[in-house]
Amino acid sequence: MEHHLPVLLIITPLVAAPLCVLVRQRLAVFGLSLTVCWATFAMAIMLLVRVLDSGEITYQLGGWSAPWGIEYRIDTLSAFVMLFVSGIGAIVLTFAPHSIAREIREDQHYLFFAEYLLCLTGLLGIAITGDLFNLFVFLEISSLSAYALISLGAREGVQQTRRALIAAFHYLVMGTIGATFILIGIGLLYMMTGTLNMADMAERLRAEVQINRKLMDVNETRTVLVAFAFLSVGISLKMALFPLHMWLPNAYTYAPSVVTAFLAATATKVSVYVLLRLIFTIVGASFAFEKLPLDTELMVLSLIGIVVASTTAIFQTNIKRMLAYSSVAQIGYIALGISFASLDGLTGAIVHLFNHALIKGGLFLAMGCLVLRLGSAELDDLRGIGRRMPWTMFAWVVGGLGLIGVPVTAGFISKWYLISAALERGWWPVALLVLLSSLLALVYVWRVVEAAYFQDSPEQHAEVTEAPAAMLIPTYVLIGATVFFGLWTSLSAGVAQQAAQLLLEVTP
Amino acid sequence: MNPETTIKLALALPLATAATTVFLGERQRNLRESFTLFGAVALFLVIAMLAPAVTSGARPAATLLEMIPGLAIAFEVEPLGMLFAMVASGLWIVTTCYSIGYMRAHHENHQTRFFVCFAVAIFAAVGAAMAANMFTLFVFYEVLTLSTYPLVTHHGTEAARKGGRTYLGILLFTSVAFLLLAVVWTWTIAGTLDFRPGGILAGKADNTVLCALLGLYVFGTGKAALMPFHRWLPAAMVAPTPVSALLHAVAVVKVGVFTVMKVAVYIFGIDLLRTTGISVWLMYVAGATILLASLVALTKDNLKARLAYSTISQLSYIVLGAMLANSWGVIGGSMHIAMHAVGKITLFFCAGAIYVTAHKTEISDMRGIGRTMPLTTFAFLLGSLSVIGLPPFGGSWSKWYLALGAAEAYQWPLVAVLMISSLLNIAYLIPIVVRGFFFAPVDGPEKPKIKEAPMLCVVPLCVTAVGGLALFFFAGRIYELLTPIAQLSGN
C-alpha cells in the first residue's frame, strides 16, 4: 500500500472525476470530492515526509522500468509542489459550496466538481511524473479542465454574464498555442535523444554525437536549441510570464471565485515547476544560463513584468482583475529568483511559489465571500464593506499585507531571499526595483482598504451581512497560514532551500 | 525568575492585554480598562526587574524563533534598550489613565479597537527596545507602523484617511525602500545582523559603501523624521490626542531615533564612524532639520501641529548625538530619548486636556486659558521648560551633553545650532503660556470659573510635568546606565 502511494495520489482524483459525472446528485458529489481532495492532501503530506526522510522516491508505472515505461519520480521539489497544490485544492473545495451556489448554474454543479478533480489530477501529475510526454498529457488534462472551469462563470444574472465564455475561449487559444509549442519541443528532444524519461534524456543530451563529420555534444545541436526555444516559450505562456500574460486577467476576473482561487494559487505555479525541471533537470543550468542567455532574458522580462503589471493593477476598478495583474507581477518575482541561478535566488523563487499560493488563494477566497454578498467585485461596491463584513475584510487586509511583503507575513520571507540574492550578486538596482515594486503593491492594496473602511456603503448594500462561517473558516485557514509561514519557515523556506540545493547540485 | 522568562513575559504582557481587551469589548468597559491599566503596570514592573542586572553589566537574552535560517527573532537587553523600554512602558501607565479620561470625556467610538491597537503598539516598541539584532528590530519597527495606522485614522473621516495615507506612505516607503535594503545589504556584507559592541561592519567594506549604507539607514528610519521625510508626523496629528502623546512623542518616534542610535553604536560602531568621517554630512542634515523644524513650528497656529514640528526638531538632536560619534554625543542623544519623552508627553497631554474641556485647537484661541485651566497651563509651562532644556529640568542635561559632544567633534557650527534652537524653543513654546496667563480670554467674562479637564486627564499631566523636574535630579542614574555604551568608543 505504502509503496503505491505515488500512483494512488494521481489515480484517486482521476477516478473520482467521472464518478461525479455519473452520480450527479449535488450533495453526494460534494461529499465525494471533498473526501478525495483531503485524502490527496494527506497522501501528499506522507510523500513529502518520506522524501525528506529518505530522499528521492521512484515508482515504475505498471512495473515497466524506465526509460521504457513511465516513471514517477518524486524529489523534494515535486513533493513540495504537490503538498501545496493538494492542500490548496482541499481548502478551496471546502470553501466552495456556498460560493458556487451563487456563481454557477445549479445543473452544472456536478460538472464543476468533476472538472475540479480533473484539474487537480493534472496539476499533481505534472509534479509527480518523471516522463516528459506524460508531463505534457497531464498539462493538457489540467489546462482543458481549467478552460471548462472558467467557462462555468457564465451564469445569467450575475454581473459577469457571458464574458466568462470569451475569457475561457481566449485562454483556450493561448493555452493551446503554448501546449503546441511544448509538444513541438518535446518532439524535437525525443528525436535527438530517443527517450522521454527526463533523467535519461538529461544524460543523453550530454553525450556526443557525430553530425556532418563533426563530433559535438547533443545539446549543442541546432535541433536541441530549437527544442529549448519552443519549450521555454510554451512554458512561459502557461505560467503567464510577461508579456505572455494576456490570457490571465480576463480568465481570473470572469471565472467563478472558487475557480479563480484554485487556479491562481496553483496553475501558474505548476508551470513554473515545469520550467525549473526543464532548466535544472533536463538541459542543465549551464546550458540555459551560460550557453544561452535565459537568465538575462528572464531577469529583464520579469523586472519589466513586475513594474508594468503592478502599475496596471493600480488602475483596475475590478478587484479580481487587480489581483490578477498582481499575480502577473508575482510570477515576475518568481522568474526573477530563477534568473539569479544562485542558491538564495532559487530558494526565494521556490518559497515564493508556496507563499504566493497561500496569499493569493486566501485573497481570492476573501473575494469569494465578498462576491457572495455583493454580487460584484467592483471597487465601488466595496465601499464601506469593512463595517458590514469585518471578518472578511480583515482577512483581505492581512492577505494584502502579505502581497506587499511586510514582516510577519509569508511575503516578507520571499522578498528577503530575493533581495539578498540580488545584493549577493551586487545588483543593487535590481534589489531596489524589487523593493520599490512592493510599494506599488502597497498602493493597490491600500486603494481597497481606504474604500472599505473610509467610505460609506452605497445604498443597495445597506443590508449586506458577514459571509457564512463555512466560507470564513477556510479563508482564515489560508490567511492564517500566510502569517504562520511568515514566522515559522522550516517547512516553507527550509524545504525550498533543500529543493534548491538538489536542483543546483544536479547541474554539473 | 530567570532573565529569559522575564523577557518573554515582557513581550507577552502587552499581547495578553490586547487579547483581554478584545474579549471584554465595549460592554464591560470598566473591566476592560482595568485590565489595560493592570497590564501597563505589570509590564513596567517586569521591565524594571531587568534593570539591576543590566546596570551591573549583565545582558539578559532570549531567542524566540528562527524566522529565516540564520536569522532569529532574538532579544538582548543592553543599556540603551533598557532605558527606552523603561520610558515606553512607564509612560504607557500614565497614558492609559489619560486615555480613559480623554476617550470617555470625548465620547470616542471604537474604544476597544483603540485600546487593542495601543497595546500592540507598546508590544512592538518593547520588542524593538530589546531586539538583539537588526532583523528583529526591523520586524518590530514594521509591526509598530502597521499597528498605529488604525490609531492615526481612528476617526474614520476624510482628514483621517488623508493623514493615514501620508503616515503609512512615508513610513512604509522609507522603511521598505531604504531600511530593508540597508539591512539586507549589511547581511550580505557582514554575514550577521547581531548588535555587537564595536559594530559589525569595520573592515568589511570601503568608505563609499559604508557612507551609502549609513545614509540608507538614517533616512530609511523614517520614524526618526529627519527632513525631508518628516511629513508623516504632522499628518499623524489627526489621531486622538493620547495617541499623539504616547506614540508620536514617545513610542513611534523614539523607536526611530533608537534605531539610528543602535545602528550607530552596534552596527557601525562609534569608532568606525569617527575615524572614517562618514557621518559628518548627516550631522548637518540633522542640524538643518533642528533649525528648519523649529522655524516651521513658529508659524503653526494649531497647537498639535506646533508640537509635532517641535518633536521633529527635537528628534534630530538625538540623530545628531548619534552621528557625532563620540561618547558625549551618544550619552546626550540617548538621554534625550527619555528627557524629551517626558517633556513632550506633558505638552501633548495639556493640548488634549484643553481640547476636551475648552474645545480649542488653535493657539490664537487660547488666550486666557490659564484662567480657566490654571493647573493644565502650569503643567504646560513645566513641560515647555523641560523641552527647552532649562535647569532644573531633565532636558538641560541631555542638551548639555550634546553640546559637549558637538564641541568635542570640533563642529562649532553645530554648537551654535544647538544654542539657536534653544532660543527658538523658547520663542514657540513660552508665548502660549504667557498668552494663557496674562491675556484676557477671547470670549466670556474677564474672570471665568475654573474648569479643568476630568481628573483622569489632569493627574497624568501633572505627574509627567513633575517627572520632568525629577529627571533633573535622577539624571545621574541614567548616566551610569549609559556609560558602558559610551566607553565602547574608546575615549
Side-chain angles (χ1 to χ4, degrees):
Chain A
M1 178 70 191
E2 175 123 83
H3 170 68
H4 292 294
L5 208 54
V7 75
L8 275 176
L9 182 78
I10 303 302
I11 290 288
T12 325
L14 186 65
V15 172
L19 275 180
C20 289
V21 180
L22 291 175
V23 175
R24 288 207 180 200
Q25 205 276 327
R26 262 180 67 209
L27 211 59
V29 169
F30 173 61
L32 174 69
S33 348
L34 195 66
T35 322
V36 167
C37 276
W38 283 102
T40 314
F41 184 36
M43 287 190 269
I45 294 176
M46 281 153 72
L47 273 181
L48 180 67
V49 171
R50 265 175 61 187
V51 169
L52 290 180
D53 261 8
S54 49
E56 200 174 66
I57 302 172
T58 51
Y59 180 87
Q60 321 291 343
L61 227 62
W64 296 88
S65 64
W68 295 280
I70 293 173
E71 178 190 45
Y72 283 175
R73 189 178 269 263
I74 307 149
D75 63 0
T76 313
L77 178 63
S78 43
F80 187 54
V81 169
M82 285 193 290
L83 175 81
F84 74 77
V85 167
S86 59
I88 300 259
I91 294 166
V92 170
L93 197 77
T94 318
F95 172 92
H98 285 91
S99 185
I100 59 170
R102 161 114 193 181
E103 293 180 50
I104 299 178
R105 264 166 50 192
E106 200 141 317
D107 58 334
Q108 289 178 335
H109 281 187
Y110 72 96
L111 283 176
F112 164 78
F113 289 109
E115 286 155 6
Y116 189 93
L117 288 175
L118 274 181
C119 193
L120 181 66
T121 312
L123 295 173
L124 292 173
I126 295 171
I128 205 170
T129 187
D131 183 284
L132 202 51
F133 187 74
N134 195 230
L135 184 145
F136 170 74
V137 172
F138 279 125
L139 194 66
E140 279 301 88
I141 292 179
S142 69
S143 301
L144 289 171
S145 46
Y147 311 144
L149 278 171
I150 291 167
S151 71
L152 289 178
R155 176 175 182 170
E156 306 273 344
V158 176
Q159 248 189 16
Q160 311 158 356
T161 59
R162 317 299 281 173
R163 271 180 282 182
L165 292 182
I166 302 171
F169 187 68
H170 189 188
Y171 185 19
L172 173 87
V173 173
M174 299 292 278
T176 309
I177 294 175
T180 313
F181 273 38
I182 294 172
L183 188 59
I184 293 173
I186 295 176
L188 292 174
L189 283 181
Y190 182 57
M191 190 177 108
M192 291 311 291
T193 58
T195 181
L196 285 167
N197 182 289
M198 293 184 204
D200 195 29
M201 187 180 277
E203 249 168 59
R204 293 190 189 205
L205 278 173
R206 286 169 189 78
E208 290 194 326
V209 67
Q210 195 173 19
I211 292 173
N212 296 341
R213 291 190 208 134
K214 257 194 346 202
L215 210 57
M216 61 201 307
D217 282 357
V218 178
N219 63 17
E220 278 175 3
T221 58
R222 195 163 292 165
T223 319
V224 172
L225 292 182
V226 172
F228 185 72
F230 270 111
L231 275 169
S232 51
V233 173
I235 296 168
S236 302
L237 223 165
K238 288 277 184 193
M239 68 186 233
L241 181 71
F242 181 88
L244 302 174
H245 66 282
M246 301 309 284
W247 57 268
L248 186 141
N250 277 332
Y252 282 14
T253 311
Y254 299 120
S257 303
V258 179
V259 174
T260 311
F262 179 60
L263 291 182
T266 56
T268 47
K269 312 292 179 301
V270 172
S271 307
V272 174
Y273 166 84
V274 178
L275 185 67
L276 288 173
R277 275 280 168 258
L278 172 71
I279 295 176
F280 292 99
T281 308
I282 300 177
V283 298
S286 60
F287 174 81
F289 296 147
E290 282 161 32
K291 205 171 291 173
L292 296 173
L294 186 68
D295 49 348
T296 323
E297 184 201 313
L298 275 181
M299 175 167 299
V300 171
L301 288 182
S302 56
L303 284 176
I304 299 176
I306 290 170
V307 175
V308 172
S310 303
T311 315
T312 317
I314 294 175
F315 296 102
Q316 301 307 313
T317 55
N318 183 305
I319 305 307
K320 274 170 90 175
R321 185 183 291 274
M322 181 195 95
L323 291 177
Y325 275 106
S326 142
S327 278
V328 176
Q330 304 291 326
I331 290 291
Y333 287 123
I334 297 168
L336 182 68
I338 299 173
S339 75
F340 290 130
S342 64
L343 183 60
D344 268 0
L346 208 53
T347 309
I350 297 171
V351 81
H352 200 48
L353 288 180
F354 178 81
N355 290 341
H356 181 243
L358 295 177
I359 296 169
K360 245 338 142 31
L363 276 170
F364 274 119
L365 287 190
M367 284 316 292
C369 297
L370 293 171
V371 171
L372 176 85
R373 289 296 191 231
L374 301 174
S376 147
E378 291 292 323
L379 186 63
D380 275 347
D381 288 304
L382 255 61
R383 279 177 297 165
I385 203 65
R387 264 157 277 163
R388 313 218 171 270
M389 302 174 70
W391 288 98
T392 309
M393 251 349 263
F394 184 71
W396 202 99
V397 172
V398 176
L401 292 177
L403 269 189
I404 302 167
V406 297
V408 195
T409 64
F412 175 68
I413 308 292
S414 326
K415 292 255 160 75
W416 179 274
Y417 276 107
L418 289 178
I419 298 162
S420 49
L423 288 177
E424 201 176 59
R425 296 253 158 148
W427 295 335
W428 61 267
V430 176
L432 193 63
L433 209 61
V434 170
L435 289 169
L436 289 177
S437 69
S438 41
L439 293 165
L440 294 175
L442 174 71
V443 176
Y444 61 71
V445 168
W446 232 255
R447 280 173 76 223
V448 179
V449 171
E450 290 191 350
Y453 289 99
F454 293 98
Q455 292 187 333
D456 294 321
S457 20
E459 269 177 28
Q460 73 264 30
H461 298 317
E463 301 296 308
V464 167
T465 51
E466 187 53 87
M471 294 169 84
L472 282 177
I473 293 169
T475 311
Y476 269 89
V477 170
L478 281 187
I479 292 294
T482 67
V483 176
F484 181 76
F485 288 110
L487 287 169
W488 182 77
T489 55
S490 305
L491 177 63
S492 53
V495 175
Q497 195 165 30
Q498 195 183 336
Q501 268 162 355
L502 283 173
L503 284 182
L504 288 169
E505 273 167 15
V506 166
T507 58
Chain B
M1 201 160 24
N2 70 357
E4 196 178 335
T5 332
T6 319
I7 289 176
K8 285 181 180 165
L9 193 63
L11 291 164
L13 267 171
L15 283 186
T17 310
T20 13
T21 312
V22 174
F23 178 71
L24 291 170
E26 211 66 60
R27 286 197 197 124
Q28 305 178 37
R29 50 190 221 162
N30 288 333
L31 198 58
R32 173 190 70 191
E33 280 148 23
S34 325
F35 265 104
T36 307
L37 201 56
F38 172 77
V41 173
L43 177 67
F44 180 72
L45 293 178
V46 167
I47 288 176
M49 273 163 57
L50 289 167
V54 176
T55 319
S56 64
R59 297 287 174 266
T63 302
L64 212 58
L65 61 131
E66 198 162 84
M67 223 161 116
I68 288 176
L71 283 170
I73 296 287
F75 303 94
E76 189 187 59
V77 190
E78 43 71 58
L80 199 54
M82 188 68 232
L83 177 67
F84 178 46
M86 292 277 278
V87 171
S89 61
L91 291 176
W92 189 31
I93 306 176
V94 192
T95 313
T96 306
C97 297
Y98 183 81
S99 306
I100 298 168
Y102 181 91
M103 298 301 273
R104 289 191 177 181
H106 210 239
H107 305 289
E108 295 271 359
N109 296 319
H110 307 296
Q111 292 190 16
T112 306
R113 186 180 71 194
F114 175 87
F115 284 108
V116 170
C117 290
F118 221 112
V120 176
I122 293 296
F123 159 74
V126 171
M130 300 194 298
N133 54 49
M134 196 54 217
F135 182 74
T136 312
L137 182 53
F138 179 77
V139 169
F140 280 99
Y141 181 96
E142 293 294 46
V143 171
L144 186 60
T145 310
L146 293 170
S147 62
T148 45
Y149 175 79
L151 292 170
V152 171
T153 59
H154 184 82
H155 292 131
T157 56
E158 184 59 22
R161 188 181 65 84
K162 273 198 185 138
R165 196 184 262 193
T166 315
Y167 183 74
L168 201 66
I170 293 183
L171 288 185
L172 275 188
F173 170 77
T174 49
S175 67
V176 168
F178 304 146
L179 186 57
L180 182 56
L181 187 65
V183 174
V184 187
W185 202 354
T186 311
W187 167 246
T188 44
I189 295 174
T192 175
L193 287 174
D194 290 346
F195 291 127
R196 287 198 196 134
I200 53 175
L201 282 170
K204 295 279 167 66
D206 62 57
N207 284 356
T208 329
V209 170
L210 288 178
C211 191
L213 200 54
L214 185 67
L216 285 177
Y217 268 117
V218 174
F219 286 110
T221 315
K223 291 192 174 120
L226 205 60
M227 283 184 179
F229 298 110
H230 64 287
R231 281 282 310 135
W232 64 270
L233 188 56
M237 291 301 138
V238 295
T241 312
V243 176
S244 312
L246 184 60
L247 299 179
H248 302 119
V250 183
V252 173
V253 291
K254 293 295 149 58
V255 163
V257 285
F258 173 75
T259 308
V260 173
M261 193 58 91
K262 284 281 250 194
V263 166
V265 176
Y266 294 105
I267 296 283
F268 283 84
I270 292 174
D271 286 335
L272 182 67
L273 289 184
R274 196 181 42 236
T275 48
T276 53
I278 51 175
S279 63
V280 175
W281 66 289
L282 288 165
M283 290 179 205
Y284 282 88
V285 175
T289 307
I290 292 176
L291 287 185
L292 287 174
S294 294
L295 289 172
V296 177
L298 273 175
T299 68
K300 295 287 169 189
D301 190 37
N302 182 296
L303 180 54
K304 278 174 80 179
R306 186 175 288 193
L307 293 180
Y309 274 98
S310 156
T311 306
I312 295 172
S313 161
Q314 300 285 325
L315 291 174
S316 279
Y317 277 73
I318 304 166
V319 176
L320 174 64
M323 293 301 119
L324 283 173
N326 56 42
S327 12
W328 297 127
V330 170
I331 288 194
S334 312
M335 207 181 256
H336 203 55
I337 291 182
M339 303 305 184
H340 173 249
V342 175
K344 198 43 85 48
I345 202 170
T346 314
L347 298 185
F348 271 109
F349 280 167
C350 295
I354 293 171
Y355 179 55
V356 160
T357 323
H359 306 288
K360 284 174 178 161
T361 54
E362 307 302 307
I363 295 167
S364 48
D365 295 337
M366 288 177 196
R367 269 180 294 157
I369 197 76
R371 303 188 187 180
T372 41
M373 306 177 70
L375 214 52
T376 308
T377 317
F378 189 67
F380 194 94
L381 175 67
L382 296 189
S384 304
L385 294 177
S386 184
V387 169
I388 296 164
L390 291 177
F393 290 92
S396 53
W397 286 116
S398 48
K399 293 203 173 177
W400 167 251
Y401 286 124
L402 281 170
L404 274 184
E408 188 173 295
Y410 299 106
Q411 298 292 350
W412 300 109
L414 291 172
V415 180
V417 163
L418 290 173
M419 299 305 142
I420 297 170
S421 168
S422 290
L423 292 177
L424 288 171
N425 292 348
I426 297 176
Y428 65 72
L429 285 174
I430 296 304
I432 304 173
V433 183
V434 173
R435 283 159 162 245
F437 276 127
F438 302 116
F439 282 34
V442 197
D443 42 15
E446 193 68 8
K447 285 205 169 154
K449 266 200 220 156
I450 288 178
K451 185 173 175 255
E452 285 282 357
M455 243 355 212
L456 275 171
C457 290
V458 178
V459 173
L461 63 90
C462 292
V463 169
T464 52
V466 175
L469 196 63
L471 277 177
F472 180 78
F473 301 101
F474 285 104
R477 298 287 289 278
I478 301 179
Y479 184 90
E480 268 168 41
L481 181 69
L482 291 172
T483 26
I485 339 174
Q487 278 162 357
L488 297 176
S489 62
N491 60 336

